Amino acid sequence: MESRAPVGVERNGINTIAEEERHGAPRSLFWPWFAANVSVLGISYGSFVLGFGLSAIQAIVVGVVGTVLSFVLCGVISLVGKRGSAPTMVLARPAFGVRGSRLPAVVSWLITVGWETALTALAVLATTTVFSELGWDAGTPTKLVALVVVAVLIVGSGIVGFTLIMRLQVWITIITGVLTIVYGILVAGHIDTANLGSLTSGGVAAMIGALIFMMTAFGLSWANMAGDFSRYLPRSVSNAAVVGWTTFGAALAPVLLLVFGILLAGSSKTLNDKVAADPIGALTTLLPTWFLVPFAVVAVLGLVGGAVLDIYSSGLALLTAGLPVPRWLAAGIDGTIMIIGSVYIVFFANDFLGPFQGFLITLGVPIAAWAGVMIADIVLRRSDYDANDLQDPAGRYGDINWIAIILMLLGTAVGWGLVTNTYAGWLSWQGYLLGPIGGKTGSWAYANLGVLAAMVIGFAGHLIFNRTSVRRQDLR
């Protein structure tokens, strides 16, 4: 079906990349991952981490550790792309079965479509915030123009595909990197060491909660697409280099932005409160007027960089879930859904982002269970993936691996029972397993233990119950 792709559009979909098309070096992974995570929204995460009641030192330590650790996991999962030369969700088939992998593919699609919609809406809202600060018209026409520009960049890149995305991310990296450094220089004077030193320390539960929150917000939210951008690499490249460049490219900007955000938010309770209400708009209040337009550029491009990877991978996940259309058309379908959702958020919703964030956190639990299974599968598997059997339910990987499905469902059930969600009333049923450790209002209620529990169940369960089947697949 990919042969019908328009001229210049990537024809590969969920097929295995041909040997002659594999090229490049692991260092090329730096650009897409850095560009996708250099958003100034990372500065606002400093406020979110302090919201757990931590001191500045505690927030920096757990924030940095959680961010780096999560991207290491993302880097490990990126190995499947290099070893199998196919999209991440296709390479979940050896663990879940050819048709069994449709379950995680659907969850992955929901998450990526959700994130690309949220990032698009935030880019539009960031533009209108800057226009308001400048005293310019920030009404409906401005929002419409901003939405069109942002949507064209994101949807166009998703449709054209891999080559354009890799080139675009290089430019986004350079532009946003430079402008973000300028932003840091301009607002560094607002850091108040006295106020930072007065922040009280939090307990173990708060530190664990912040650690898991950072893992969920960063690396785990990318894990379901980690192999999509390493699948064009030759299979002969170093595994360590693939993991290293993915981790370095993805974690560098968030770590620097997070630390800076902690220093800023911890210096001013007023700024901290504003960030909680308006994560990007609040950052403009510290800037001189002349830098507001460059700030809009860095804010929008940073969000676009993340949304571009999301729409590309969401299209691949949709194909893996069973939609019989070409890759470029799947990206177009996702782009249409993204635009409709963004229009609703920007023009009609009075309270959407809160419940929507709760929806995304809820889906983060099953993805953590899936990630556990995948990491265990990578540890167990000794041979590269067979291209033909990846597409054949009667092949070595089988149709449905019910053990992997049950592990994902069990991890999700336990995980939801160990998280609480204040973002949306319709999620108040969560936390049903927290009773023995203080209930939904206890000190462990917001420690996000469910994410970790889901991952451990998936990882340990696959190691124990699927070890023999993986070895049998390797020997065929």
Side-chain angles (χ1 to χ4, degrees):
M1 299 186 74
E2 291 301 327
S3 61
R4 297 202 302 265
V7 176
V9 171
E10 179 189 5
R11 286 171 167 76
N12 289 310
I14 61 174
N15 57 289
T16 300
I17 304 300
E19 186 68 36
E20 62 272 15
E21 293 186 64
R22 298 174 201 160
H23 60 278
R27 62 178 177 274
S28 66
L29 296 172
F30 173 85
W31 302 106
W33 287 112
F34 185 92
N37 290 282
V38 72
S39 168
V40 292
L41 186 62
I43 297 176
S44 299
Y45 275 95
S47 172
F48 303 157
V49 174
L50 289 174
F52 283 85
L54 304 178
S55 68
I57 296 297
Q58 286 179 319
I60 290 173
V61 171
V62 300
V64 170
V65 171
T67 301
V68 173
L69 181 59
S70 71
F71 281 121
V72 169
L73 297 176
C74 191
V76 171
I77 294 177
S78 72
L79 287 175
V80 298
K82 172 253 180 181
R83 292 173 61 180
S85 304
T88 313
M89 284 297 144
V90 171
L91 296 169
R93 289 175 173 177
F96 287 85
V98 174
R99 285 196 305 158
S101 67
R102 291 181 180 180
L103 172 63
V106 169
V107 176
S108 176
W109 177 74
L110 289 171
I111 289 179
T112 48
V113 169
W115 273 112
E116 71 199 43
T117 301
L119 292 174
T120 300
L122 284 172
V124 174
L125 294 173
T127 303
T128 56
T129 296
V130 169
F131 271 53
S132 296
E133 290 289 326
L134 289 169
W136 299 348
D137 178 26
T140 299
T142 298
K143 293 177 180 177
L144 284 173
V145 171
L147 179 59
V148 169
V149 172
V150 170
V152 167
L153 281 173
I154 296 171
V155 180
S157 298
I159 289 175
V160 174
F162 184 83
T163 300
L164 176 60
I165 288 174
M166 296 296 279
R167 292 174 179 172
L168 177 66
Q169 298 296 67
V170 172
W171 285 106
I172 290 178
T173 294
I174 295 171
I175 295 170
T176 54
V178 171
L179 292 178
T180 300
I181 291 172
V182 175
Y183 175 87
I185 294 171
L186 291 175
V187 304
H190 292 274
I191 296 175
D192 188 323
T193 54
N195 287 342
L196 287 168
S198 66
L199 295 175
T200 57
S201 298
V204 174
M207 293 183 67
I208 293 176
L211 177 74
I212 299 176
F213 170 78
M214 292 305 297
M215 291 182 65
T216 306
F218 284 111
L220 280 179
S221 66
W222 291 108
N224 54 306
M225 61 184 79
D228 296 353
F229 304 94
S230 58
R231 77 190 202 278
Y232 275 92
L233 292 175
R235 296 193 187 185
S236 59
V237 301
S238 164
N239 286 341
V242 172
V243 175
W245 280 106
T246 298
T247 304
F248 179 61
L252 178 60
V255 163
L256 296 176
L257 293 171
L258 171 72
V259 172
F260 190 69
I262 290 170
L263 298 179
L264 278 179
S267 298
S268 169
K269 185 178 184 305
T270 300
L271 176 64
N272 199 12
D273 292 341
K274 288 181 179 179
V275 167
D278 185 3
I280 293 180
L283 302 177
T284 65
T285 61
L286 306 178
L287 288 170
T289 302
W290 65 267
F291 194 72
L292 287 175
V293 171
F295 176 83
V297 172
V298 70
V300 170
L301 284 181
L303 295 166
V304 166
V308 163
L309 295 197
D310 280 320
I311 193 170
Y312 182 73
S313 291
S314 67
L316 294 174
L318 192 58
L319 297 180
T320 310
L323 185 68
V325 300
R327 183 209 60 78
W328 58 271
L329 183 55
I333 292 171
D334 287 349
T336 302
I337 296 172
M338 178 197 79
I339 292 170
I340 293 172
S342 299
V343 167
Y344 174 72
I345 296 172
V346 173
F347 295 101
F348 301 104
N350 294 320
D351 181 24
F352 178 82
L353 287 178
F356 189 65
Q357 188 173 358
F359 168 72
L360 292 173
I361 291 173
T362 298
L363 288 181
V365 172
I367 280 296
W370 169 86
V373 171
M374 285 297 292
I375 293 170
D377 197 74
I378 292 169
V379 170
L380 291 173
R381 201 168 296 278
R382 294 292 178 264
S383 62
D384 288 338
Y385 304 95
D386 183 273
N388 293 325
D389 286 343
L390 284 173
Q391 311 294 336
D392 183 8
R396 75 179 68 185
Y397 304 127
D399 189 14
I400 300 175
N401 183 342
W402 288 106
I403 295 177
I405 297 290
I406 291 171
L407 287 172
M408 186 172 174
L409 294 176
L410 177 62
T412 299
V414 173
W416 283 341
L418 293 173
V419 296
T420 54
N421 207 319
T422 60
Y423 295 107
W426 55 275
L427 295 173
S428 60
W429 53 269
Q430 294 177 351
Y432 45 80
L433 297 178
L434 287 169
I437 53 175
K440 295 183 180 182
T441 58
S443 59
W444 290 95
Y446 303 101
N448 298 311
L449 294 176
V451 175
L452 183 60
M455 182 178 294
V456 169
I457 289 172
F459 180 80
H462 194 67
L463 281 182
I464 295 170
F465 298 110
N466 281 326
R467 179 183 298 271
T468 302
S469 65
V470 172
R471 288 179 177 173
R472 187 166 56 248
Q473 291 171 5
D474 279 343
L475 291 174
R476 286 188 61 177

